[in-house]
Amino acid sequence: PTVVDFFDSNLRGSQTGFEIELIELPSNSNWIGKSLAKVDLRRATGASVIGILREEERIISPGGDFTFEIGDKIIFIGNLEQIQAIEKLIF
């Protein structure tokens, strides 16, 4: 229940809360063919990748060696500012 309460109270779109966002990797992204470690998203934005949807595959908490492919749907967690920074990096 504590974890559920944490998510419930923080996913309300408030200034102090965080967001979970799904963004599909476009074919022109410079992330294509790069590893999660190489992209260094956490250092660049403060946000974290919590999962990847690749066709029928679900990858939970991918490691640094995970390599991005066209069409990957990336699930991020972070505050609004961090998510907006990710969008600028991907597109």
Side-chain angles (χ1 to χ4, degrees):
T2 304
V3 173
V4 173
D5 292 340
F6 173 79
F7 277 96
D8 187 47
S9 65
N10 284 290
L11 284 175
R12 300 232 183 257
S14 70
Q15 295 281 353
T16 60
F18 58 86
E19 312 219 351
I20 297 176
E21 187 75 30
L22 184 143
I23 300 174
E24 184 170 347
L25 203 58
S27 60
N28 64 341
S29 175
N30 64 359
W31 288 18
I32 303 298
K34 291 185 180 175
S35 69
L36 183 56
K38 180 80 171 176
V39 169
D40 204 9
L41 178 76
R42 184 134 172 96
R43 185 192 56 76
T45 68
S48 297
V49 174
I50 59 172
I52 306 286
L53 305 176
R54 179 179 283 167
E55 297 178 12
E56 300 301 317
E57 188 177 4
R58 307 286 189 258
I59 303 161
I60 305 300
S61 192
D65 62 341
F66 174 85
T67 301
F68 292 103
E69 295 180 4
I70 296 170
D72 282 348
K73 294 175 178 76
I74 308 165
I75 305 167
F76 301 97
I77 191 166
N79 64 32
L80 180 59
E81 189 175 275
Q82 292 167 335
I83 299 298
Q84 289 171 339
I86 291 168
E87 291 171 344
K88 289 178 184 175
L89 292 175
I90 286 180
F91 297 106

